[in-house]
Amino acid sequence: MIVPMKKVSFVLLEEHRKDALKKLRRLGVVHLEKVTGASQELSEYKDSFAKAELAYSILSEIKLPKKAAPLNPSFDRDRTLAKAEEIVGLAERKKQCSDVIAAHSLELERFAGWGDLDVANFEFLAEKGIILSMYEIPRDAYLTIPETINTMVVNENKSVVRFLLIQYGEKGSTLAQAHRPAEMPAEAYAVPMISSSSKQLRDEIASLKEEIVSIEGSLKKAALDKEHLKTYCSLVGKDIEFENVFSGMGREDDTEEGRPYMALAWLTGFVPVEDVAGVLAAAKEEHWAVAVSDPGEEDEVPTKLKNNKFVSLIYPISDFLGTVPGYREYDISGWFLLFFCVFFGIIFGDGGYGALMVVAAVIADIMAVAKQKKIPPAYNLLLLLGFFTMAWGTVTCTWFGLSPDLLPDWLVGLSLQPISNAYSALSAENEALVKQNLQIFCFMLALFQLTVAHLKGIVRYIKSPRALGELGSMLMVWGMFFVVLNMVVKVPKFFGVETMGTPVISVIGVGFGLSFIFSNYEGSLGASILESCKNIVSVLLGVVNVFSDIVSYIRPWAVGLAGGAISATVNDMAGPMLGGAIIFLGILLLVFGHGLNMILNVLSVIVHGVRLNTLEFSSHLGMSWSGFAYEPFCETAENK
């Protein structure tokens, strides 16, 4: 359920605002409205946080022995900040060294064909009046250089000639006085002068490499205490939050017409109804003025979900997706969990895969208990998903992609004949019937889930004519269900009802009429009809959308069918290897093939299984997942 909230507004003396915020933080139940503060302290906190976060990311890339002991077991805030600044400085210096090494290496590579060079020698000759310039030219083009140009070949190969251009000047000349003769062929490339000398560049590279080794040693040593940086970031993060509120909360100036007076400060937030009493008691104790009211339509209210431990198993998925229902939307955690598990089981579609997941989850739970740690919800979610996958594999007789005739008779006997692979394998007619039954089952899932969506809407608007609009939408879902059976599954009748008969068309028509008239009802029937007329195109397309939404539910079966084909193919490829000398290759292929198939199935669940809940189901609920999580102003993140 979505926990009801109350809006609370506090007014207090400006001089007491820091103490008030400390009190509110200790309470840990007030979600404050967003404020934007600005102060010197806030800037300093943000700067130190950025340094510590960067230092932690730098050290996180360093691999350490598993049982490496920290250098400083005790945490010291000032020492940690100083260490962060040192780490950032070392990392920057390492990058500078790497950049210089790369530049020097490139320059040495550029002059590799010239041998060892020293710019000092060129400068010495220039002072004596002999100015030398380096050129490279294609071998054939060298012969076109006029004899009036003085050159000296340094070396050559099959394609390039390297030569020196010799020019004469007065004593005390410089290399800058060198110029390209007008008669010089265009193919001749003037090689830029080396920055120092080849030897000096090599020596500097060696020195910088030694410095990098030293820096890496220092960073590796610092990495032993990297958890201190994580602790520091957590503490400073809370300081930033506090200072932002402190400097950003509303307040008056402390003077008026030159006369001092008691200035006021104020802030607003939201509190779960069950915690209001504690807030009022604190306000009375601290002598704050406080107003409590129901949130208005314009208020951006945070969402706090409260469910039992079983339903809360879906939270790892919603946290991963970052989806939060709006405060005035539905909490569909229970339905999400149920249908997600069903879709997951169908997409994986293999009882053997489910058994592996169950075993993995049980082992993970046992290891957590052995280490006296709390079992993460994700482990139990994996266990639940494994059971659902095993259940689907059992009723469809699907185990590691094996043919039913290779499975024990008792396992085959547990399957349900209308959707069993064992029954499907008997004949082509049976295979077509099983395929048809599985498609009908998927569309029945659609019918059930979308009906739930509109029943929730009817209950929500039961005191308003808008409930009739939800009823109309539900009737369209029921009618379109039969149309889908007719057009996709090619079933002329379903439970004695013609899938494209007059009753079905009538149900769709009545549903459309009710939805057209009442879906936009906000106190005036005429205004509701007018609103539908304004959006007539989208209203008409809504009928088509119902059809496509139902058809979308065939996705899990189709993806599961593809996964089953991959499993069977892997078995066929590995089978011949298992009876010979290369049995290890067969086992390796089985592990790799089925492992890859499971990874692909996980991606399919994210794409298709999640989509049916967050798009098709949610759109019929009218949900946009526009909410944001309840995050109370508190001392530690664990209080949230």
Side-chain angles (χ1 to χ4, degrees):
M1 61 170 285
I2 295 178
V3 177
M5 293 280 176
K6 289 288 186 179
K7 183 177 182 179
V8 293
S9 299
F10 303 93
V11 178
L12 50 124
L13 294 177
E14 195 276 341
E15 63 185 19
H16 294 160
R17 59 194 175 105
K18 179 165 287 190
D19 292 335
L21 289 178
K22 290 179 179 179
K23 180 69 174 182
L24 286 178
R25 192 160 68 168
R26 285 194 295 271
L27 285 175
V29 296
V30 182
H31 178 108
L32 297 177
E33 285 189 338
K34 186 177 180 180
V35 297
T36 302
S39 68
Q40 180 64 30
E41 292 83 355
L42 183 60
S43 298
E44 291 174 357
Y45 283 140
K46 288 182 177 180
D47 181 61
S48 60
F49 179 88
K51 289 178 181 177
E53 189 176 43
L54 177 58
Y56 183 79
S57 67
I58 292 169
L59 298 183
S60 296
E61 297 176 0
I62 299 174
K63 293 183 179 180
L64 295 173
K66 291 184 178 180
K67 296 183 179 180
L71 291 178
N72 300 293
S74 60
F75 170 77
D76 181 88
R77 185 162 174 158
D78 293 336
R79 182 182 65 206
T80 303
L81 177 58
K83 180 58 69 173
E85 293 173 343
E86 178 186 345
I87 292 166
V88 172
L90 287 172
E92 290 177 350
R93 177 55 186 164
K94 179 182 176 182
K95 184 179 182 303
Q96 291 173 358
C97 292
S98 298
D99 291 343
V100 173
I101 289 174
H104 286 0
S105 299
L106 184 62
E107 190 164 8
L108 286 174
E109 182 180 352
R110 183 159 57 90
F111 292 106
W114 289 86
D116 282 351
L117 298 175
D118 191 337
V119 68
N121 294 333
F122 286 86
E123 291 173 344
F124 174 80
L125 290 174
E127 289 179 358
K128 300 298 183 183
I130 304 173
I131 305 173
L132 302 179
S133 303
M134 296 181 290
Y135 279 83
E136 293 179 355
I137 191 170
R139 185 183 181 90
D140 295 339
Y142 180 73
L143 299 176
T144 65
I145 300 176
E147 293 183 359
T148 56
I149 298 177
N150 295 320
T151 65
M152 183 177 68
V153 175
V154 175
N155 61 56
E156 58 184 298
N157 54 36
K158 293 180 180 180
S159 58
V160 175
V161 174
R162 298 179 181 87
F163 66 92
L164 293 173
L165 170 66
I166 306 172
Q167 295 174 308
Y168 298 98
E170 301 292 334
K171 288 187 177 182
S173 298
T174 65
L175 292 175
Q177 293 177 265
H179 63 277
R180 183 187 183 104
E183 301 85 0
M184 181 71 75
E187 296 91 338
Y189 167 68
V191 179
M193 183 57 63
I194 192 169
S195 60
S196 55
S197 71
S198 301
K199 181 178 183 305
Q200 185 176 345
L201 292 178
R202 285 193 293 269
D203 291 345
E204 192 169 349
I205 287 175
S207 175
L208 290 174
K209 285 182 177 180
E210 290 179 1
E211 186 176 353
I212 288 177
V213 171
S214 176
I215 290 174
E216 289 176 343
S218 299
L219 292 176
K220 190 171 184 179
K221 186 177 179 182
L224 296 171
D225 291 332
K226 70 177 181 179
E227 291 305 312
H228 290 338
L229 291 168
K230 191 174 182 180
T231 302
Y232 182 87
C233 287
S234 178
L235 293 174
V236 177
K238 300 308 294 183
D239 290 339
I240 291 173
E241 180 185 38
F242 184 92
E243 184 60 32
N244 180 66
V245 176
F246 176 73
S247 59
M249 64 188 295
R251 60 187 187 275
E252 295 178 310
D253 293 333
D254 58 359
T255 61
E256 180 180 318
E257 297 179 356
R259 293 182 293 106
Y261 76 112
M262 304 298 284
L264 299 178
W266 57 88
L267 72 164
T268 302
F270 300 91
V271 180
V273 170
E274 59 192 20
D275 296 318
V276 169
V279 173
L280 292 176
K284 183 178 180 180
E285 180 182 345
E286 299 295 328
H287 305 291
W288 305 332
V290 60
V292 179
S293 62
D294 291 324
E297 289 294 328
E298 72 284 354
D299 289 323
E300 296 182 358
V301 188
T303 301
K304 180 182 180 180
L305 300 179
K306 185 178 182 180
N307 290 292
N308 57 48
K309 289 185 178 180
F310 180 76
V311 174
S312 298
L313 292 177
I314 197 61
Y315 289 169
I317 300 297
S318 59
D319 291 344
F320 171 76
L321 297 173
T323 53
V324 180
Y327 177 70
R328 296 175 180 84
E329 294 181 341
Y330 301 99
D331 176 18
I332 60 170
S333 299
W335 292 109
F336 197 120
L337 178 63
L338 171 62
F339 287 108
F340 179 78
C341 290
V342 173
F343 298 145
F344 188 99
I346 296 174
I347 289 174
F348 266 72
D350 193 297
Y353 291 173
L356 291 178
M357 287 187 284
V358 169
V359 171
V362 170
I363 292 175
D365 285 349
I366 292 174
M367 291 178 64
V369 171
K371 295 179 180 178
Q372 296 182 342
K373 294 183 178 180
K374 184 179 179 181
I375 297 176
Y379 293 176
N380 291 330
L381 176 61
L382 178 64
L383 183 65
L384 181 63
L385 295 174
F387 279 128
F388 268 82
T389 306
M390 284 184 64
W392 184 256
T394 299
V395 299
T396 59
C397 195
T398 308
W399 296 87
F400 292 114
L402 295 173
S403 175
D405 58 352
L406 298 177
L407 298 174
D409 292 339
W410 65 270
L411 197 57
V412 175
L414 293 175
S415 64
L416 295 179
Q417 180 175 307
I419 58 174
S420 172
N421 285 329
Y423 181 70
S424 174
L426 297 177
S427 67
E429 182 180 350
N430 289 353
E431 183 180 2
L433 182 60
V434 169
K435 176 182 177 182
Q436 185 182 79
N437 290 337
L438 286 169
Q439 290 177 343
I440 293 174
F441 176 78
C442 289
F443 294 139
M444 290 180 69
L445 276 177
L447 179 65
F448 178 60
Q449 188 173 30
L450 300 184
T451 297
V452 168
H454 292 295
L455 286 176
K456 290 176 75 68
I458 291 172
V459 172
R460 182 172 191 170
Y461 301 114
I462 193 64
K463 295 181 180 181
S464 166
R466 194 167 176 177
L468 294 174
E470 291 288 341
L471 176 62
S473 297
M474 186 175 72
L475 290 176
M476 282 197 291
V477 169
W478 278 82
M480 281 298 176
F481 167 74
F482 284 90
V483 173
V484 169
L485 293 184
N486 180 276
M487 299 182 68
V488 179
V489 191
K490 308 300 182 184
V491 176
K493 284 188 177 183
F494 187 70
F495 284 98
V497 179
E498 292 186 8
T499 52
M500 282 293 280
T502 302
V504 170
I505 303 301
S506 299
V507 168
I508 295 175
V510 171
F512 177 80
L514 290 173
S515 178
F516 186 86
I517 296 171
F518 297 105
S519 286
N520 298 305
Y521 185 85
E522 293 290 348
S524 171
L525 191 61
S528 177
I529 297 174
L530 181 61
E531 187 66 25
S532 295
C533 290
K534 289 179 181 178
N535 301 291
I536 187 63
V537 175
S538 60
V539 170
L540 293 175
L541 288 177
V543 182
V544 180
N545 288 339
V546 173
F547 178 87
S548 64
D549 287 347
I550 296 174
V551 172
S552 290
Y553 280 75
I554 205 170
R555 295 167 181 269
W557 169 75
V559 176
L561 188 65
I566 293 175
S567 297
T569 301
V570 171
N571 292 340
D572 291 340
M573 294 173 61
M577 303 180 189
L578 298 177
I582 55 174
I583 184 173
F584 68 94
L585 289 178
I587 295 174
L588 183 63
L589 179 59
L590 285 175
V591 172
F592 175 79
H594 286 288
L596 179 62
N597 194 25
M598 293 183 72
I599 293 173
L600 293 175
N601 284 339
V602 170
L603 297 176
S604 298
V605 167
I606 295 173
V607 173
H608 302 292
V610 170
R611 171 203 163 104
L612 293 174
N613 278 301
T614 58
L615 187 59
E616 278 80 4
F617 182 43
S618 297
S619 66
H620 283 258
L621 283 166
M623 290 182 62
S624 60
W625 298 96
S626 58
F628 55 97
Y630 164 75
E631 296 182 350
F633 186 60
C634 57
E635 292 181 332
T636 61
E638 288 73 15
N639 290 358
K640 295 184 180 182

